[in-house]
Amino acid sequence: MLALLSGFMRRTFPFACFQFTVALFVLAFAPRLAARLQPVTTPTITLIRPVGTNLHITASLPAGFRSVTIESRGTNDIGAWKPRDVRRINGKPARIVFRVAQSSTPQNFRLTTSVTNPLPTKFYRGKKSYPRVRSKASRVQGIFGAETARSGLGDMSALASPGSGLPPVRAVVESDIWKISGNRLYYFNQYRGLQILDISNPDSASLLSTVSLPAAGEQMYVLGNHVVLLARNDCDRTGNGNSELVIINVAASSPVIVARVPVSGSIAESRLVGSALYVASQESYFSFLGGATVVGTGGINDSGTLVSSFDLANPAAPIARGTLRVNGYGNVISATDNFLFVAVQGADATSQVNIIDISSPNGTM
């Protein structure tokens, strides 16, 4: 439209052409220029443009901010916003270009900012990218299984090779409510107990047997001919239910409970490392001014996480190796074959990660 009007004026009023063109330019573009020249007062996304398979998102920030995060979620989504990238800045006005991968669905974007950083600025200036160590999948798979081999771990086969002088790497296993072993499927039904199904013909699976338990749970491990159930009593509202390990011999057609091992507190999480089982349970203590400590009767609430270890080298004769108590609640755990990480939250809403040495194969912590 501007070009048509300018051409018409040039032919009709040649002497006024220049003035008219300048006027049109001012009317059309001056507001945009003025907006850009105005100081930014709030964090603002100023431009989003596709570049290849990415989106380049330009953000302008006024002074006073130390970090900014770009977040996204689907245009029809009412769920949580997902962080896509974060940048650290020095508190001065800044113009930042985020590069994020394009999504297959339309996305909304927003900025979240912070006026502080949890660590000094120099901590964020170090090396941020490292070369990936490519594993020899066939060798790692023999130790850790296919999933670990695909995860990009380095070649650790030397740790388990004869004559290396190093201890063998122990597998780390997370519990589940069902496991398949051979032609059997073991299912820990929290309302009916252990159910064993014959799946030799998956199209017509059949229930072989059931071990009823008056408890609830959803954590189970299969050790050869034995199944380990982590059962908790959800009817106990003190927070210190009578949890236990229930070990069942499933070699015969009729399963038999061969051991019961009490676990203090309400079982929350667990890991099996080699033949050692580590269980995190929640305990609640109530303290009184007189100095006595009573469980579950009122007073000042003091929650703690109890980590218990059990040697299951002989599943029919489990050995309780010991306990460690960590103040706080939350019971988020992870493990390697040498360390158990227990993350808890305290009464002041601060989090803490506790690192426990579990390098002993017999479960000693």
Side-chain angles (χ1 to χ4, degrees), residues 322-361:
T323 59
L324 291 174
R325 189 174 188 274
V326 176
N327 290 329
Y329 60 92
N331 307 305
V332 178
I333 72 172
S334 185
T336 68
D337 66 326
N338 286 307
F339 298 101
L340 182 72
F341 303 89
V342 182
V344 295
Q345 186 174 9
D348 58 353
T350 59
S351 297
Q352 177 175 291
V353 178
N354 302 274
I355 305 176
I356 300 175
D357 184 347
I358 59 168
S359 56
S360 175

Side-chain angles (χ1 to χ4, degrees), residues 26 120 129 136 153 237 301 334 355 358:
V26 171
S129 60
K136 296 179 181 178
L153 291 175
R237 300 304 180 188
N301 188 0
S334 185
I355 305 176
I358 59 168

Side-chain angles (χ1 to χ4, degrees), residues 32 46 89 111 156 193 201 217 241 252 267 276 321 335:
R32 297 185 186 180
T46 58
I89 48 183
L111 301 174
M156 299 182 181
N201 183 357
I267 293 176
R321 288 299 182 188

Side-chain angles (χ1 to χ4, degrees), residues 40 42-46 57-62 65 67-72 81 85-87 94 96 98 108-114:
V40 177
T42 59
T44 305
I45 295 176
T46 58
I57 304 174
T58 304
S60 296
L61 287 89
F65 293 100
S67 70
V68 57
T69 303
I70 186 77
E71 298 178 335
S72 71
W81 289 84
D85 195 3
V86 61
R87 300 292 180 87
I96 298 174
F98 295 98
N108 287 330
F109 293 91
R110 74 173 186 182
L111 301 174
T112 59
T113 56
S114 175

